[in-house]
Amino acid sequence: MSVPQSEFIQRDRGQHPPGFSPGYKTSTLRSPRLALWSLQNSLSEFTGPVFGREELGPLDHDLLLNYAKTGEPIGERTVVHGRVLDENGRGVPNTLVEVWQANAGGRYRHKNDTYLAPIDPNFGGCGRMITDETGAYAFRTVKPGAYPFRNHVNSWRPAHIHFSLSGSGFAQRLITQMYFEGDPLIPMDSIINTIPDPAARQRLVAPLDLNAAVPLDSLAYRFDIVLRGTRSTLFENKLQGN
Amino acid sequence: MTKLEYLPETPSQTAGPYVHIGLIPHQAGFDIFEKPFGNILAERNTKGERIRIEGRVLDGLGSPCKDILLEIWQANAAGRYNHPADGQTDKPLEPGFRGWGRTGTEFDTGLYRFDTVKPGPVIGRRGYKTMAPHVNVWLAARGINIGLATRMYFDDEAALNEEDPVLRMIEPAVRRQTLIARRENRDDGVVYVFDIRLQGENETVFFDV
């Protein structure tokens, strides 16, 4: 039997934070001490869940409206947009993108968040969407606030939005965070600094994109995301899929 | 010289303590989407043996981690993935069975659960033997900087496990035991218990896939 093969390019761990990053204290007890076992991709790795647009509601992607009860949330109206690409530079179409964030005051709608900034009654702080045929996505939100967390006594997270990417294969699964250009808290953040390579850190900083701003309405930031691409196995297997 | 124009993968970042908001909002304390994703993979009529997968995720001191996001991805009872790249067309697809689910370890008990069906064996890489029934597991959380991938196998499949090309690769062999779930027949059905140890004694095997 012939099984189509479209293995992913080996992950370059140098682009990522190591599991054990003592500057981020919680990682010390939650990071494996033994080496990861390298596993050549089988069907179990290069397949993954498929999601349909019909599963999502019409406002699921709109953080300005998807939890609005008595009005719209307070904060800087912001568009975030970009493309999900693979390492070969191709758009990743029809893939699930999920986002979550604090409100404009830096407070999360979460039962474990006890920060003194108030909950916004009109802001849930999460959204989800599926990329179009070119890999593009876009959503509206309010810019999240900075907030303190207990890493050092006076440690603050820069404004950020969490992104979860599904990809087409389970081995592409990725969770990351997007930061905002010009935020003075970024260089001292213990989370972004788990990434050793300064150039890699910089790729998580979304530039202001005035061209995508909506005049008299919203500012815009652009954040492109790269998932793993598939290998060119020119002679090993049937040529396809890359 | 020809310039290779590959793009580098976007760096991973921790999912953080509030991952529930984005991925399983009900656990964060609110409902927002009409069709949230969840931990029930099998419908009433899904073919196969109905099973529950249950376990804990333990840190380097053996304490249960109560804020872990887990996802599973599995083949159906016939051993086929619901994905266009699965060319095992001699096996049936199962209508309504995506083969994927997500959940969080509970804030009070630290337990996670999935309700699903037991997957069948899946064809291995070219030139390798069939893979024993297994569930692919991915976890992310506060303190985990890049998602961890592992597999769960079934302790009542000893003969197939013995031949499994992935289990066989793992040395020393005693570490293979960290990937094998224990079957329990409880009053309300079959449960496979699968604890994941992030660090330390009997550390679970994690894969660079």
Side-chain angles (χ1 to χ4, degrees):
Chain A
M1 177 180 5
S2 150
V3 173
Q5 300 275 328
S6 50
E7 298 175 43
F8 293 107
I9 298 169
Q10 170 77 50
R11 179 168 256 160
D12 176 3
R13 295 262 164 189
Q15 299 293 328
H16 294 282
F20 179 70
S21 304
Y24 173 31
K25 295 178 183 176
T26 317
S27 75
T28 57
L29 277 178
R30 292 184 165 198
S31 44
R33 286 292 178 275
L34 303 177
L36 304 180
W37 274 93
S38 293
L39 188 58
Q40 284 184 287
N41 288 179
S42 68
L43 271 181
S44 297
E45 287 74 38
F46 66 76
T47 62
V50 177
F51 300 94
R53 283 187 177 74
E54 72 284 354
E55 296 180 70
L56 308 189
L59 295 178
D60 281 7
H61 70 291
D62 190 346
L63 282 71
L64 290 183
L65 296 181
N66 68 13
Y67 203 77
K69 306 292 182 194
T70 57
E72 293 191 14
I74 288 173
E76 293 177 47
R77 296 165 64 86
T78 302
V79 170
V80 178
H81 77 116
R83 285 182 74 201
V84 181
L85 304 162
D86 70 17
E87 290 168 292
N88 297 307
R90 294 189 184 85
V92 180
N94 308 316
T95 198
L96 180 67
V97 179
E98 296 162 287
V99 297
W100 68 100
Q101 63 168 87
N103 68 23
R107 176 77 183 267
Y108 283 94
R109 181 175 290 281
H110 191 288
K111 59 172 65 165
N112 294 345
D113 187 1
T114 56
Y115 181 39
L116 51 78
I119 290 280
D120 184 330
N122 294 308
F123 192 64
C126 60
R128 55 187 194 170
M129 62 218 88
I130 287 179
T131 58
D132 73 9
E133 292 305 314
T134 68
Y137 75 89
F139 63 95
R140 302 195 304 171
T141 186
V142 293
K143 189 176 176 186
Y147 61 87
F149 78 122
R150 295 178 186 276
N151 197 56
H152 344 297
V153 169
N154 194 18
S155 45
W156 292 76
R157 294 301 325 279
H160 63 277
I161 299 177
H162 298 264
F163 275 71
S164 165
L165 289 305
S166 178
S168 63
F170 204 47
Q172 284 178 303
R173 192 79 180 80
L174 182 73
I175 285 180
T176 189
Q177 301 182 26
M178 178 204 107
Y179 302 88
F180 292 83
E181 179 187 7
D183 188 332
L185 291 168
I186 293 173
M188 58 195 89
D189 176 43
S190 354
I191 302 297
I192 196 170
N193 282 326
T194 58
I195 303 166
D197 178 359
R201 293 199 290 270
Q202 195 57 34
R203 294 205 308 277
L204 297 182
V205 180
L208 177 71
D209 182 3
L210 215 47
N211 280 339
V214 184
L216 305 179
D217 181 329
S218 302
L219 282 173
Y221 288 83
R222 165 116 188 180
F223 185 50
D224 290 344
I225 298 158
V226 180
L227 301 181
R228 297 170 67 187
T230 49
R231 289 179 56 208
S232 300
T233 49
L234 298 180
F235 296 102
E236 185 182 350
N237 289 301
K238 195 175 92 178
L239 177 62
Q240 63 102 46
N242 68 296
Chain B
M1 191 164 71
T2 303
K3 187 165 186 286
L4 292 174
E5 294 187 332
Y6 297 110
L7 303 173
E9 187 187 10
T10 296
S12 172
Q13 290 270 265
T14 178
Y18 308 125
V19 58
H20 315 86
I21 295 175
L23 303 187
I24 37 175
H26 184 75
Q27 189 170 343
F30 65 106
D31 294 296
I32 181 166
F33 302 130
E34 192 181 327
K35 294 181 184 170
F37 301 122
N39 62 346
I40 297 172
L41 285 75
E43 296 172 349
R44 184 177 315 209
N45 300 322
T46 306
K47 290 193 191 70
E49 184 185 18
R50 301 190 74 85
I51 64 169
R52 169 169 287 183
I53 300 170
E54 181 183 289
R56 297 174 303 164
V57 180
L58 305 168
D59 73 10
L61 293 177
S63 304
C65 301
K66 298 177 176 177
D67 53 8
I68 306 279
L69 176 90
L70 293 104
E71 293 183 350
I72 60 172
W73 169 241
Q74 64 166 92
N76 64 20
R80 182 168 172 187
Y81 286 104
N82 189 354
H83 187 278
D86 187 333
Q88 302 176 99
T89 49
D90 54 327
K91 300 175 178 177
L93 278 172
E94 178 69 28
F97 185 73
R98 178 164 22 215
W100 173 87
R102 72 160 54 128
T103 193
T105 55
E106 291 179 352
F107 293 143
D108 50 353
T109 65
L111 282 172
Y112 75 87
R113 292 183 189 84
F114 290 100
D115 288 330
T116 184
V117 292
K118 192 175 173 187
V122 174
I123 189 171
R125 282 173 56 82
R126 180 175 299 213
Y128 288 84
K129 289 189 173 165
T130 297
M131 296 191 284
H134 65 279
V135 171
N136 305 288
V137 181
W138 188 83
L139 47 106
R142 162 176 169 258
I144 295 177
N145 288 325
I146 179 165
L148 294 168
T150 186
R151 288 185 177 198
M152 189 200 96
Y153 288 81
F154 297 84
D155 72 346
D156 54 332
E157 298 285 357
L160 288 171
N161 290 345
E162 186 68 28
E163 297 292 315
D164 181 82
V166 173
L167 285 175
R168 286 178 71 93
M169 169 186 82
I170 297 167
E171 297 286 354
V174 65
R175 292 201 71 207
R176 298 171 194 168
Q177 292 304 317
T178 67
L179 302 187
I180 297 178
R182 182 180 76 247
R183 183 180 174 108
E184 291 184 359
N185 293 298
R186 297 188 192 165
D187 291 343
D188 58 347
V190 174
V191 177
Y192 284 91
V193 178
F194 185 57
D195 288 339
I196 296 169
R197 291 173 175 78
L198 297 177
Q199 184 190 96
E201 195 176 352
N202 296 318
E203 184 175 304
T204 297
V205 171
F206 296 103
F207 295 105
D208 191 10
V209 293

